[in-house]
Amino acid sequence: MTDKSQELKPVSEFIPETAPERYIYDMDESKHEIALSTENLQVRYGDKLSLSEGDLRFERYKITSLIGASGSGKSTFLRSLNRMNDDVANVTGNIWYRGLDINSKDIDVYEMRRHIGMVFQRPNPFAKSIYDNITFPLTRRGKYTKAELDEIVETTLKQAALWDQVKDELNKSALSLSGGQAQRLVIARALALKPDILLLDEPSSALDPISSAKFEDTLLELKKDYTIIIVTHNMQQAARISDYTAFFNQGKVIEYDLTRKIFTRPKVELTNDYISGNFG
Amino acid sequence: MTEKIETILETRNVKLWYGQKEALHGIDLDFAKKGITALIGPSGSGKSTYLRAINRMHDLEDNVTVTGSFNLMGKDIYAPTMDTVDLRKKVGMVFQQPNPFPFSIYDNVAFGLRIAGVKDKKVLDQAVEESLKAASIWEEVKDDLNKSALGLSGGQQQRVSIARVLATKPDLLLLDEPTSALDPVSAHNIEETLLSLRDQYAMIIVTHSLSQASRIADKTVFFLNGNMVEAGDTRKIFLEPDKQETADYISGRFG
Amino acid sequence: MRRLFDEELADLDTSFTEMGEQVAKIIQSAVQSFITHDREGAHKIIDHDYKINEREAALEKKSFEMIALYQPVTTDLREIVTILKAVSVLERMGDQARNIATSTIRVKGTKHMKDVEQQLGEMGELVASMVSEVMAYYVKNDALGAENIATKNHQLSNAAAQVRTDSVDGMKEDSELVDSAADYLVIAGYIKRIGDYTTDIAEWIVYKRTGKIIELNPGYNYFI
């Protein structure tokens, strides 16, 4: 019970006059460290505009989920962030990373991808040993001693929560791993390049709930050192693990906010319907 | 599920070996004539293996031995006299990845009937229309029946796959993770389709999505390590399961 | 396209609003039987109380089931939470009606104060109408309307204060009125409690609509 003397706010103050059609969280740069941001990003496949108006800022050491139906533009957006769409689409606008526009022509895309790594939906280990899966991308591009490589393999497998299960069989083929293990190996491989930002495209949709839960634990561990942006069809997964959520619909970001706000009181009707499973 | 009413399938002491390795350790289950039964459990629990045994998908694999009884309305599925083509007409299977043939939508749905020797155009037309309606996709494709099924979206392809199975008037529909390759909207459409069919068909669905099982299934069966741990009304399984293993799995407490 | 969830939610809603109507009726008849000294009517109310409790238990069970099976979020979740909270409030209102009926049976006084009994009758009418009204706001999801309940509850408080003054005056003037007047004080207290409960439901309607938890009944904390 509050005190009689307390001023009561009228209920009308809590009810917005009209619901907004879009809402993008305005991340204050003085309070949040921005790892990556996009500006006027547009993606065209031929003449068709597939993504527009996706101005988002991603906070460092946080997990951001991108959700939405197939064709909503969320994967297109994610792939554009490390230039995976260059060959198939025309991507315009800016992607800011450490003061650089990484969508500009002058950027060395391969070098950029060392900083911004991608993990795909289906675990895709190479037909090599577990050890070589991790070291191959490194040795192809630089010189490392055996001891250095050993250390990287151990560190990254530990980070990906796979070390204990495979440490005695590092020379076994990666193809013998289960789906969940293969997915974690692919993450270890991405981590070996010491990226800053990890992009994950539906990383656990091929996994059963137990592997998926372990995988989520791994991500929560990793966010201490990495900024993670994840496309997921599993809304409960987005709710469980992410700090921010962006809802895409028909090539636009409809709502971007703190995950706890999106899943308790979204501001846009369309978001509410989507996360409630109300696909009328 | 042990009641003796109106069952379509009763399996007793079903065991299955991959070579020397026993993957199913004696599964007893009864399935009612109508309604949806969800088989849940982690990868390697045996749920998909069991599902595939029901329409003898393992016949195609070397080294697999199946024992025990599968009583499909008085007939033994594994009897030497059982024709697997006939069996698969009665017990249709829908797979994880939509797998339409590279034919027109019409030919996809008519495929099973043509194999069975139906040639009458009127009969085929009617069956195609009825099946597509039952699979809740008629309105979306009725003007494009001669277009390739491969031009459809994933969710639409999956509903055409369901229509193809329904065309042969099966008694039992088996669905192996039918929505795991689909986005939530397409998955929702498939769930709606299954719900609209549950008064007419018996359906057994393997799913990794616990929320899907809880949304659509009348009965739920929990598999673990090749054993059937618990079977019962979905409400009971999700609210007050008898076994601790079931409660742990349902709540996402994985060891 | 309707979700299975929506159908179950609609059933839950219907069952909840029915419970509200039942409770409003019981409150009205409890106050009526008190002022008409109708012990038989009071017994009926006590005998029927278990139905309210059963309805509460059934609604709670259904709500738990829906949360477990459908994992609702945002507006869906708020609707279920609102029902879960509001059914226990309705059940407590039913308990107050039962208390009024128990007092009716136990009543000892033979000499009554007609004017105070009339005031109690009016309080009973008012509070029963508040219950019906708050249920109507629930159905219409009308958070602004629900705010009005606080104003009516203020009127109810004033009426209770009047009953208190008149009863105390009556006792001072005529000691034969003490038994009855003591009952009037207690009944006014029960009715006032029911009024406070309607503002609790109004608060949950505001929550259901806006997601904000607010206070509509600041401090009138006297028993009557």
Side-chain angles (χ1 to χ4, degrees):
Chain A
M1 281 284 171
T2 44
D3 185 65
K4 194 178 188 172
S5 60
Q6 187 186 319
E7 275 296 307
L8 292 180
K9 271 195 205 173
V11 172
S12 53
E13 284 195 15
F14 302 117
I15 303 177
E17 283 183 12
T18 49
E21 284 178 13
R22 295 180 74 203
Y23 176 79
I24 309 292
Y25 179 67
D26 187 13
M27 198 178 282
D28 182 348
E29 293 189 36
S30 65
K31 289 180 186 148
H32 306 270
E33 191 184 348
I34 313 284
L36 191 74
S37 62
T38 64
E39 203 179 330
N40 300 321
L41 199 65
Q42 296 201 337
V43 182
R44 282 186 171 77
Y45 291 102
D47 291 339
K48 203 178 153 218
L49 185 64
S50 286
L51 181 79
S52 65
E53 298 180 64
D55 285 12
L56 295 183
R57 292 170 187 172
F58 296 97
E59 185 169 358
R60 195 146 195 227
Y61 303 137
K62 299 284 180 197
I63 301 179
T64 303
S65 289
L66 313 182
I67 62 170
S70 284
S72 63
K74 61 191 188 311
S75 291
T76 296
F77 178 85
L78 186 83
R79 281 151 197 259
S80 299
L81 294 181
N82 79 341
R83 308 270 299 262
M84 288 284 180
N85 284 332
D86 280 11
D87 297 335
V88 291
N90 180 23
V91 183
T92 58
N94 318 102
I95 302 169
W96 297 104
Y97 173 68
R98 295 184 173 174
L100 286 176
D101 177 10
I102 57 169
N103 198 35
S104 84
K105 286 201 171 64
D106 320 328
I107 292 290
D108 175 348
V109 172
Y110 291 96
E111 183 56 30
M112 179 271 285
R113 285 186 191 151
R114 292 185 67 123
H115 296 274
I116 304 177
M118 172 85 84
V119 173
F120 296 96
Q121 177 175 9
R122 302 259 154 196
N124 55 342
F126 306 131
K128 293 172 178 295
S129 72
I130 293 170
Y131 187 96
D132 289 349
N133 256 277
I134 295 170
T135 58
F136 175 70
L138 296 170
T139 52
R140 216 173 40 156
R141 300 156 46 72
K143 283 201 166 25
Y144 294 86
T145 65
K146 176 82 172 71
E148 282 170 340
L149 289 176
D150 285 352
E151 197 197 319
I152 290 171
V153 168
E154 182 171 341
T155 317
T156 56
L157 284 174
K158 278 181 176 162
Q159 282 180 312
L162 189 59
W163 174 251
D164 286 337
Q165 293 160 59
V166 301
K167 63 183 174 193
D168 299 325
E169 38 189 31
L170 294 175
N171 292 318
K172 248 177 90 172
S173 165
L175 301 182
S176 67
L177 298 172
S178 75
Q181 291 173 329
Q183 190 61 280
R184 276 174 282 153
L185 175 63
V186 173
I187 290 194
R189 188 172 73 193
L191 296 179
L193 294 167
K194 296 201 182 304
D196 208 21
I197 297 174
L198 267 181
L199 309 177
L200 305 159
D201 194 2
E202 288 185 53
S204 64
S205 67
L207 306 181
D208 74 282
I210 295 183
S211 309
S212 194
K214 285 185 186 150
F215 179 73
E216 288 174 13
D217 283 347
T218 306
L219 292 187
L220 291 172
E221 267 309 298
L222 288 175
K223 87 169 185 178
K224 289 177 194 150
D225 305 305
Y226 300 89
T227 303
I228 297 171
I229 304 171
I230 176 172
V231 162
T232 178
H233 275 154
N234 183 336
M235 283 177 269
Q236 286 140 320
Q237 178 170 70
R240 276 192 299 266
I241 64 169
S242 58
D243 302 283
Y244 296 95
T245 297
F247 168 58
F248 285 71
N249 187 51
Q250 297 185 348
K252 280 185 184 165
V253 182
I254 299 296
E255 187 157 359
Y256 176 54
D257 209 337
L258 294 166
T259 297
R260 65 181 161 78
K261 290 210 171 158
I262 293 267
F263 281 89
T264 55
R265 291 192 300 127
K267 294 185 173 62
V268 184
E269 193 68 36
L270 214 52
T271 317
N272 193 14
D273 286 345
Y274 186 80
I275 62 167
S276 307
N278 204 352
F279 313 121
Chain B
M1 312 200 67
T2 49
E3 305 147 38
K4 263 288 181 191
I5 44 155
E6 294 267 1
T7 56
I8 192 157
L9 174 70
E10 295 168 12
T11 77
R12 290 290 174 274
N13 199 26
V14 169
K15 293 187 180 179
L16 183 143
W17 287 264
Y18 290 107
Q20 299 295 312
K21 198 179 161 223
E22 191 178 296
L24 293 175
H25 311 305
I27 309 293
D28 296 349
L29 278 174
D30 292 356
F31 297 92
K33 271 218 164 84
K34 308 248 148 61
I36 303 175
T37 303
L39 309 184
I40 60 168
S43 288
S45 62
K47 59 190 190 309
S48 291
T49 302
Y50 176 79
L51 186 82
R52 288 188 207 141
I54 297 172
N55 77 344
R56 292 181 54 172
M57 296 291 285
H58 299 294
D59 286 13
L60 306 168
E61 301 164 54
D62 294 335
N63 231 1
V64 173
T65 317
V66 183
T67 65
S69 80
F70 292 76
N71 181 348
L72 182 72
M73 294 189 299
K75 287 188 179 155
D76 178 6
I77 289 178
Y78 281 82
T81 50
M82 175 62 82
D83 175 353
T84 51
V85 175
D86 268 357
L87 171 67
R88 287 176 196 152
K89 255 170 43 188
K90 290 200 168 64
V91 182
M93 173 83 94
V94 176
F95 297 93
Q96 179 176 9
Q97 294 290 342
N99 57 345
F101 302 124
F103 316 146
S104 71
I105 294 168
Y106 184 98
D107 290 345
N108 260 280
V109 180
F111 183 79
L113 293 171
R114 284 185 172 141
I115 294 271
V118 179
K119 293 205 178 73
D120 188 332
K121 178 87 167 71
K122 267 190 190 154
V123 175
L124 290 174
D125 282 356
Q126 199 189 344
V128 167
E129 181 171 339
E130 279 174 5
S131 310
L132 288 169
K133 278 182 176 162
S136 326
I137 187 158
W138 173 253
E139 289 302 322
E140 290 162 60
V141 301
K142 64 181 175 191
D143 299 326
D144 302 320
L145 294 179
N146 293 317
K147 288 196 184 154
S148 168
L150 300 179
L152 299 171
S153 76
Q156 289 174 324
Q157 288 185 9
Q158 195 63 302
R159 279 179 284 150
V160 167
S161 304
I162 292 173
R164 190 173 72 200
V165 172
L166 294 179
T168 62
K169 305 242 176 277
D171 298 314
L172 177 58
L173 240 70
L174 309 177
L175 303 122
D176 194 0
E177 292 189 53
T179 66
S180 68
L182 304 177
D183 74 287
V185 177
S186 309
H188 173 77
N189 291 336
I190 300 287
E191 289 181 10
E192 289 285 325
T193 301
L194 300 182
L195 285 171
S196 73
L197 293 172
R198 78 169 168 184
D199 293 336
Q200 303 149 58
Y201 293 93
M203 288 173 274
I204 308 176
I205 177 172
V206 162
T207 178
H208 275 151
S209 164
L210 297 174
S211 53
Q212 179 169 69
S214 67
R215 273 195 301 270
I216 66 168
D218 302 292
K219 308 273 181 181
T220 296
V221 182
F222 174 52
F223 278 75
L224 188 65
N225 301 325
N227 292 305
M228 189 277 285
V229 175
E230 188 167 355
D233 284 347
T234 298
R235 266 154 219 268
K236 174 161 169 45
I237 297 280
F238 278 84
L239 280 143
E240 39 193 350
D242 291 330
K243 301 279 167 59
Q244 187 61 40
E245 294 104 308
T246 314
D248 287 347
Y249 187 77
I250 299 288
S251 329
R253 279 194 300 267
F254 310 125
Chain C
M1 207 176 329
R2 244 175 116 66
R3 299 167 297 168
L4 204 56
F5 176 79
D6 293 327
E7 289 165 24
E8 294 193 19
L9 192 58
D11 289 347
L12 190 72
D13 243 10
T14 309
S15 180
F16 169 64
T17 44
E18 276 174 12
M19 181 179 172
E21 285 158 19
Q22 275 178 19
V23 169
K25 268 189 206 140
I26 285 175
I27 292 165
Q28 205 177 7
S29 30
V31 177
Q32 273 308 311
S33 29
F34 178 79
I35 60 179
T36 57
H37 316 291
D38 174 5
R39 291 181 190 211
E40 202 180 316
H43 273 294
K44 267 190 199 151
I45 286 162
I46 292 170
D47 292 345
H48 277 72
D49 188 45
Y50 78 97
K51 282 195 176 165
I52 300 285
N53 296 347
E54 274 179 2
R55 178 67 70 106
E56 184 204 12
L59 279 162
E60 282 174 348
K61 182 165 180 261
K62 186 71 201 164
S63 305
F64 294 145
E65 257 182 37
M66 290 178 68
I67 292 170
L69 296 180
Y70 299 101
Q71 297 106 38
V73 291
T74 71
T75 43
D76 293 336
L77 180 61
R78 289 210 297 272
E79 186 154 354
I80 295 182
V81 168
T82 297
I83 289 176
L84 255 182
K85 300 291 285 192
V87 288
S88 39
V89 177
L90 284 180
E91 191 270 333
R92 274 181 272 149
M93 288 180 178
D95 288 346
Q96 299 297 341
R98 190 194 151 99
N99 289 340
I100 294 172
T102 310
S103 301
T104 305
I105 293 164
R106 275 209 235 111
V107 83
K108 290 196 192 84
T110 46
K111 198 169 177 188
H112 306 294
M113 298 174 74
K114 278 284 159 234
D115 55 331
V116 175
E117 288 183 349
Q118 195 189 335
Q119 286 172 45
L120 285 172
E122 282 163 11
M123 280 179 75
E125 296 285 335
L126 176 60
V127 84
S129 77
M130 285 165 69
V131 176
S132 303
E133 203 175 310
V134 84
M135 294 310 294
Y137 292 134
Y138 172 83
V139 171
K140 287 185 285 184
N141 205 16
D142 183 353
L144 290 174
E147 204 177 12
N148 294 335
I149 291 291
T151 317
K152 291 213 168 167
N153 195 39
H154 197 66
Q155 290 172 22
L156 193 69
S157 276
N158 291 340
Q162 190 61 51
V163 167
R164 184 173 184 271
T165 311
D166 293 351
S167 303
V168 171
D169 288 350
M171 286 190 266
K172 282 178 187 161
E173 283 168 19
D174 181 350
S175 62
E176 279 182 56
L177 284 173
V178 166
D179 278 333
S180 294
D183 278 336
Y184 299 152
L185 291 176
V186 170
I187 301 298
Y190 291 146
I191 296 175
K192 189 169 178 301
R193 223 34 1 94
I194 296 173
D196 291 343
Y197 290 152
T198 58
T199 62
D200 289 348
I201 294 183
E203 286 163 11
W204 286 108
I205 294 169
V206 174
Y207 166 76
K208 175 178 162 230
R209 174 71 201 276
T210 67
K212 297 279 184 195
I213 292 173
I214 64 155
E215 179 65 73
L216 286 176
N217 186 23
Y220 310 107
N221 271 334
Y222 320 106
F223 176 63
I224 62 163

